[in-house]
Amino acid sequence: MEDSLADVELQSYAKEFLVAAQLRHKIFCEDFVIKAFYEAEKAHRGQWRSLQHCVETAVFLAMIGANSTVVAAGLLHDTLDDSFLSYDYIFRTFGAGVADLVEGVSKLSQLSKLARENNTANKTVEADRLHTMFLAMADARAVLIKLADRLHNMMTLDALPSSKQQRFAKETLEIFVPLANRLGICSWKEQLENLCFKHLNPDQHQQLSTKLEESFDEAMITSATEKLERVLKDKAISYHVLYGRHKSLYGIHCKMLKKKLTMDQIHDIHGLRLIVENEDDCYKALSIVHQLWAEVPGKMKDYISHPKFNGYQSLHTVVKGEGMVPLEVQIRTKEMHLQAEFGFAAHWRYKEGDCKHSSFVLQMVEWARWVLTWQCETMSKDRSSIVYADSIKPPCTFPTHADDCPYSYKPQCSQDGPVFVIMLENDKMSVQELPPNSTVMDLLERAGRGSTRWSPYGFPMKEELRPRLNHEPVGDPSCKLKMGDVIELTPAIPDKSWTEYREEIQRMYERGLASTGPAAATRMAGWRS
């Protein structure tokens, strides 16, 4: 570690946070990560809760196998928004890798806030676009950091007033749970769902929790586990792990609502999970399970031959266990299990050569291709609104793509894919989907704001009269839009009154009428800065 860092005096709570993190994961002993910790401590000095949050976020990332760049970015993820640190400083101190990730998390936080304030994620089509934009505009690792950040925030939500808890949980359920699902990170998705359920439906959460505790048959699970272990050993089928589990509370709640069932009618509350060596052993173990217990008809699902859209693979079956209690058995390989628990991040956990996707670069290419297949999947849900939807072909199964896959994807956004932007108009936010190479003028015309006066050489001279692109006045309406851009439109002014309003506003600015003030200007012209 650099000598300058060794001489820095940490506050006692900061020392405790660092030591605790080092005990939980060895990556916090690396010089690069320790350096990031010192910068995070300096940025949040005196705010022990803020520093603790950054450390916990980084620990979540370390536990799923993220490297030092991602963990360092996790430690610094709040610094652009909540401290004096700048992008340039992070860039000089840690390099472009960390700086870009921290900036990406900051952008996602800003979009999340806009969506929360405008209830955007509650609208199905816009929510799909919003999720796609989150993933396509930023490095996938930035999305992962944002998810880790949200997971820890949800775990500490009790510190907020009840009204904020509800709003925060609602946003999490509408935006971040679907993101975790798209990423295939089941472990985080399930935790987020249960935490949201606890805060949004506390009474139902408590009732189901009590009922699950009373009805869960631990003895039956133990007996079934021992029975299956004996036969697997007799048949010489090696396995990594076999354990009992129960369905998540939120999963039970949703199933009861969707299928109008009572808790007694749900078949997969009790479950076993078996992790075996290879795919052949999955099917051999399935045959053994069906020999040991009677199969419940229609409940067998082969997600190995037919994976879910997010890459999930496993064999599921429901059998009648002891006392005729339904028992769901899930069988998968270690690789499939890591994919299920950690999604695309699972591949960070493989050592070089252990897996066909061991290379991080290869995995990021697969990830990027998948983002585009998801865009196409989203577009196909509403074909009537997409003029080029007929050209869409079924996407390849994640994460496998043919050599001639039409969804070969380049970082940030495909040249041929749609562009999603945020439009703010009259205090309302919407997610707009535009064809590739669309310009600011294209968006203005869609919003009914297009005008022959607004050519590249005839745009309003006054900055206050122009739309704003990412908080800056637009100088050229022909500039192209990028994924995740934010466009702020000023309130519409009737064409017949344009000259009158323009001249009056011009006079106000030239005279600098302090007595009139911005409030009066807003009342007169219907203007919002």
Side-chain angles (χ1 to χ4, degrees):
M1 186 170 64
E2 296 178 9
D3 293 339
S4 59
L5 291 182
D7 296 334
V8 174
E9 183 63 31
L10 288 177
Q11 297 188 27
S12 58
Y13 67 81
K15 290 179 181 177
E16 292 173 5
F17 291 161
L18 179 58
V19 171
Q22 289 172 337
L23 290 173
R24 292 164 74 182
H25 200 285
K26 62 182 180 181
I27 200 168
F28 291 95
C29 297
E30 294 184 13
D31 290 351
F32 188 74
V33 175
I34 293 174
K35 184 178 178 181
F37 175 85
Y38 273 77
E39 289 294 342
E41 189 278 332
K42 185 169 66 174
H44 299 293
R45 184 157 294 170
Q47 302 171 317
W48 70 270
R49 287 187 185 276
S50 297
L51 180 60
Q52 183 183 44
H53 167 69
C54 292
V55 172
E56 289 299 321
T57 298
V59 168
F60 287 157
L61 294 164
M63 297 303 284
I64 65 172
N67 64 14
S68 57
T69 298
V70 179
V71 173
L75 286 166
L76 298 166
H77 77 273
D78 274 342
T79 53
L80 289 184
D81 297 327
D82 298 341
S83 80
F84 54 84
L85 294 192
S86 66
Y87 172 87
D88 289 339
Y89 178 81
I90 298 174
F91 180 90
R92 291 195 306 271
T93 309
F94 297 99
V98 172
D100 288 345
L101 285 177
V102 174
E103 184 180 52
V105 176
S106 177
K107 288 180 180 178
L108 294 177
S109 297
Q110 292 167 19
L111 285 179
S112 170
K113 182 181 178 183
L114 284 173
R116 179 170 65 248
E117 292 173 347
N118 291 271
N119 203 27
T120 303
N122 201 33
K123 305 161 189 171
T124 304
V125 174
E126 291 202 15
D128 278 341
R129 293 173 181 170
L130 190 67
H131 300 150
T132 301
M133 184 170 61
F134 264 50
L135 294 169
M137 71 175 282
D139 187 318
R141 297 169 298 169
V143 181
L144 197 71
I145 295 168
K146 186 61 189 173
L147 276 174
D149 160 68
R150 180 52 61 107
L151 179 57
H152 184 254
N153 278 332
M154 285 300 301
M155 288 177 170
T156 56
L157 208 55
D158 290 330
L160 296 179
S162 178
S163 59
K164 287 190 176 181
Q165 290 180 20
Q166 292 268 322
R167 189 166 70 248
F168 208 78
K170 184 173 183 290
E171 179 198 33
T172 300
L173 196 60
E174 291 172 345
I175 295 179
F176 293 98
V177 167
L179 280 175
N181 190 42
R182 289 288 178 176
L183 287 165
I185 309 176
C186 294
S187 56
W188 287 6
K189 170 182 172 285
E190 188 171 296
Q191 290 180 71
L192 287 170
E193 284 177 335
N194 287 332
L195 288 165
C196 290
F197 182 35
K198 173 186 172 183
H199 290 285
L200 292 173
N201 305 93
D203 292 339
Q204 293 178 46
H205 180 274
Q206 182 58 48
Q207 290 171 10
L208 272 186
S209 180
T210 302
K211 212 166 187 179
L212 180 60
E213 193 174 330
E214 292 172 350
S215 62
F216 190 70
D217 191 340
E218 194 72 50
M220 186 271 283
I221 289 290
T222 301
S223 175
T225 301
E226 293 173 349
K227 191 174 183 180
L228 182 54
E229 280 180 334
R230 285 195 298 270
V231 181
L232 289 172
K233 186 176 180 179
D234 290 342
K235 299 290 185 180
I237 296 177
S238 60
Y239 62 91
H240 293 281
V241 182
L242 171 61
Y243 60 94
R245 53 181 292 277
H246 62 72
K247 192 176 183 69
S248 75
L249 281 177
Y250 185 73
I252 295 171
H253 170 70
C254 288
K255 202 160 190 176
M256 288 171 64
L257 288 180
K258 184 179 179 180
K259 300 191 175 182
K260 296 181 171 59
L261 301 173
T262 65
M263 196 164 174
D264 296 334
Q265 294 173 307
I266 297 178
H267 289 161
D268 54 354
I269 288 179
H270 293 83
L272 294 181
R273 182 171 286 158
L274 174 64
I275 314 298
V276 297
E277 188 64 36
N278 54 55
E279 191 173 306
D280 285 343
D281 286 345
C282 288
Y283 290 98
K284 290 176 182 176
L286 178 67
S287 177
I288 289 172
V289 168
H290 287 163
Q291 291 170 21
L292 289 175
W293 299 286
E295 182 181 358
V296 176
K299 295 297 180 180
M300 165 61 196
K301 295 175 183 176
D302 186 348
Y303 293 120
I304 293 179
S305 298
H306 305 285
K308 291 186 178 182
F309 66 85
N310 59 9
Y312 177 86
Q313 288 185 288
S314 187
L315 295 177
H316 291 195
T317 187
V318 179
V319 295
K320 294 177 181 177
E322 294 180 18
M324 300 303 285
V325 175
L327 178 68
E328 184 192 53
V329 183
Q330 297 179 356
I331 307 169
R332 59 182 73 144
T333 66
K334 183 179 179 181
E335 181 179 340
M336 293 172 190
H337 181 62
L338 288 174
Q339 176 71 43
E341 291 296 295
F342 306 115
F344 88 98
H347 303 290
W348 292 339
R349 300 176 68 90
Y350 292 117
K351 293 180 180 178
E352 193 68 30
D354 284 354
C355 163
K356 61 182 177 181
H357 299 298
S358 59
S359 165
F360 174 74
V361 174
L362 174 61
Q363 174 56 23
M364 290 304 294
V365 171
E366 295 292 355
W367 154 260
R369 286 177 176 172
W370 177 61
V371 170
L372 186 58
T373 64
W374 179 26
Q375 288 179 6
C376 294
E377 174 194 325
T378 301
M379 288 156 53
S380 67
K381 291 179 181 177
D382 187 13
R383 287 178 174 267
S384 61
S385 66
I386 314 290
V387 295
Y388 43 85
D390 290 337
S391 64
I392 300 171
K393 298 177 182 178
C396 298
T397 303
F398 176 82
T400 305
H401 290 259
D403 293 337
D404 60 346
C405 176
Y407 303 128
S408 180
Y409 184 87
K410 295 180 181 179
Q412 303 304 313
C413 182
S414 168
Q415 296 300 311
D416 301 319
V419 176
F420 294 92
V421 301
I422 294 286
M423 185 171 77
L424 299 173
E425 182 179 21
N426 297 329
D427 296 322
K428 293 183 179 179
M429 169 186 162
S430 61
V431 184
Q432 298 291 322
E433 179 179 347
L434 297 159
N437 300 314
S438 292
T439 65
V440 170
M441 181 56 72
D442 293 329
L443 182 64
L444 292 173
E445 289 175 352
R446 172 179 289 193
R449 302 293 187 86
S451 170
T452 55
R453 292 188 298 271
W454 285 7
S455 67
Y457 305 101
F459 220 42
M461 291 293 294
K462 288 290 182 183
E463 289 187 354
E464 293 80 4
L465 305 182
R466 302 180 200 161
R468 301 177 75 81
L469 174 62
N470 300 323
H471 310 300
E472 297 294 332
V474 176
D476 179 5
S478 65
C479 67
K480 291 184 180 180
L481 295 169
K482 302 186 297 297
M483 184 74 77
D485 279 345
V486 178
I487 302 287
E488 300 172 68
L489 303 185
T490 52
I493 297 177
D495 283 344
K496 64 179 180 179
S497 306
W498 173 258
T499 302
E500 177 185 349
Y501 284 132
R502 182 182 60 188
E503 291 175 353
E504 183 61 32
I505 293 170
Q506 184 79 20
R507 285 195 298 272
M508 286 177 59
Y509 277 98
E510 287 175 353
R511 293 198 308 262
L513 288 180
S515 59
T516 306
T522 303
R523 287 195 299 273
M524 179 192 67
W527 208 261
R528 178 180 64 84
S529 61

